Amino acid sequence: MTTYSPLKKWNVGKGSRVAVVGLGGLGHIAVQFAHALGTDVTVIGHSESKKNEAAQFGADNYYVSSPEVFQKLAGQFDFILNTATVDIDVNAYLNLLRVDGKLVYVGLGAAHQEYSVFSLFAGEKIITASNVGGVPVTQEMLDFAGKHGIKPKIEIIDPSYVPTAYQRVINSDVHYRFVIDISKL
């Protein structure tokens, strides 16, 4: 729901160029939804390690964030969904947007984010965030996911594994979501 709701709210669909920042627990679902909505989907990641998986989820392109990549992709996207929980260079991402482009946060980093207001003026860009939707949108999302075979990639763990799983989350060693098997409590 976290990734579906903003895509629907901002009318992202066929003909839209979408960038998903991060291919983790939220990002891999966002790519699937954006692809099923008919968009051209690009993933911007921090390493080459998930490039092949991004394509399997429906990404048309995959780039590792760098100054050269940001220069190459300037003005290319209608919508950027930030699923990462790390600090990003907001100005650099705003530069990737077309006129009236939206940068939407669903991944929440702990640090304060800064940007220049002038980064918004060049194309009347929008920075916003999305939390979740209500019951009707949730049902719509479930129906859409079912119709398009969208599902999370999970690793089922025992409750005793939780401390190790937590450390793996900190180490960015999760592909893509942990699910605790509560039958083993």
Side-chain angles (χ1 to χ4, degrees), residues 13-75:
K14 191 172 178 84
S16 298
R17 296 217 49 212
V18 173
V20 175
V21 181
L23 193 68
L26 291 173
H28 83 288
I29 296 293
V31 170
Q32 293 177 72
F33 279 133
H35 175 76
L37 287 166
T39 72
D40 180 290
V41 186
T42 296
V43 173
I44 301 174
H46 69 276
S47 75
E48 289 282 336
S49 67
K50 294 183 180 177
K51 182 176 183 176
N52 291 335
E53 291 173 275
Q56 292 170 5
F57 291 127
D60 299 290
N61 303 290
Y62 185 96
Y63 293 96
V64 176
S65 61
S66 71
E68 296 78 24
V69 164
F70 283 102
Q71 185 175 14
K72 176 182 178 177
L73 298 177

Side-chain angles (χ1 to χ4, degrees), residues 23-134:
L23 193 68
L26 291 173
H28 83 288
I29 296 293
V31 170
Q32 293 177 72
F33 279 133
H35 175 76
L37 287 166
T39 72
D40 180 290
V41 186
T42 296
V43 173
I44 301 174
H46 69 276
S47 75
E48 289 282 336
S49 67
K50 294 183 180 177
K51 182 176 183 176
N52 291 335
E53 291 173 275
Q56 292 170 5
F57 291 127
D60 299 290
N61 303 290
Y62 185 96
Y63 293 96
V64 176
S65 61
S66 71
E68 296 78 24
V69 164
F70 283 102
Q71 185 175 14
K72 176 182 178 177
L73 298 177
Q76 301 259 332
F77 300 103
D78 302 296
F79 188 87
I80 299 173
L81 190 62
N82 179 20
T83 70
T85 58
V86 297
D87 298 339
I88 64 168
D89 180 345
V90 179
N91 291 314
Y93 281 94
L94 288 171
N95 192 47
L96 300 181
L97 291 170
R98 294 177 173 169
V99 172
D100 293 326
K102 288 94 180 152
L103 170 59
V104 180
Y105 279 79
V106 293
L108 301 175
H112 179 76
Q113 294 279 268
E114 293 185 16
Y115 63 93
S116 168
V117 72
F118 292 105
S119 295
L120 300 174
F121 275 97
E124 297 186 15
K125 299 165 187 172
I126 296 169
I127 299 175
T128 189
S130 181
N131 192 4
V132 293

Side-chain angles (χ1 to χ4, degrees), residues 144-174:
F144 187 85
K147 179 180 177 183
H148 295 279
I150 297 170
K151 55 188 173 188
K153 188 171 181 182
I154 63 168
E155 182 178 338
I156 299 173
I157 63 170
D158 290 340
S160 63
Y161 191 75
V162 169
T164 303
Y166 180 73
Q167 189 59 50
R168 285 182 56 198
V169 169
I170 291 170
N171 295 340
S172 295
D173 180 34
V174 183

